[in-house]
Amino acid sequence: MRRAGKQNTADNVNNFNSQPLYLRFIQGVNHMFNIILFGPPGSGKGTQSEKLISKYGLKHLSTGDLLRSEITSQTPLGLEARNFMDRGQLVPDEVVIGMISSALENNPKANGFLFDGFPRTEAQSEALDKLLKLKQTEIAVVLALQVTEEELIERLLNRGLTSGRSDDNNAEVVKARIVEYHKKTSAVADYYRSFDKVVEVSGEGTVDEIFDSLCNEIDKRKS
Ligand code: ADP
């Protein structure tokens, strides 16, 4: 099934490129550059995202941030999501896919998107690919931050001292998030590996060292 997906993507690109120029023009040749910043909870996705969006002018889409803002506004979606988040579990796929789909629609002029904390399951990855295909674009690269488990737990509990996030200040919830990551989210890397899109980058070192490594990988792929 994954092979078929890979084949389809290549076919679509070839079909598109072989179309007459006027048709491509009418359909809109899309020059968006889209990145997934991938890694376990506490791997530094939020910190690096801020720096990357300002350097490359991308629109930052963090499902964690979108969900927390729904919680703050006490919307029905936020109240439902909170039940899952407070237990360290993933929010149901249809909720986050719906959020991302509206965010894509609301930003038609973006140069590209940086996805942070999304996709987190294989179903979310497949849904994202479909949504991007409708915009005649795709994921250029998945940058996967690598951090050891001991370091992750220490970082998350430290962040809990100041972040005010209820899912950070309880060791049981932090561990549950890491278990959830291994159970469901690591499959996202396998999914994109089957399309040769994953690059592993060390998430340990100074913020600037990690940022330089990420930029290096992006610059190799950006024309
Ligand atoms: P972290 O930075 O620790 O990885 P986030 O801020 O991205 O965490 O997300 C916090 C919580 O929000 C997650 O533990 C999960 O419950 C929920 N969440 C965020 N993104 C998703 C998603 N794509 N799918 C399901 N749940 C999500």
Side-chain angles (χ1 to χ4, degrees), residues 89-131:
Q89 294 172 357
L90 293 185
V91 173
D93 284 337
E94 52 283 12
V95 175
V96 282
I97 292 169
M99 270 185 354
I100 287 288
S101 169
S102 340
L104 292 179
E105 271 175 35
N106 293 338
N107 291 282
K109 299 219 168 98
N111 287 331
F113 294 95
L114 187 158
F115 297 94
D116 158 9
F118 181 90
R120 255 180 161 96
T121 62
E122 194 166 336
Q124 292 180 20
S125 313
E126 286 170 358
L128 177 62
D129 279 357
K130 283 196 190 132
L131 289 169

Side-chain angles (χ1 to χ4, degrees), residues 39-42 45 62-65 67-68 84-85 88-93 96 116-120 124 156 159 165 167-168 177:
K45 299 185 296 288
S62 155
T63 39
D65 289 350
L67 290 167
R68 280 186 287 276
F84 295 92
M85 292 166 77
Q89 294 172 357
L90 293 185
V91 173
D93 284 337
V96 282
D116 158 9
F118 181 90
R120 255 180 161 96
Q124 292 180 20
L156 288 167
R159 186 169 80 182
R165 276 177 55 166
D167 59 346
D168 277 347
R177 281 158 63 198

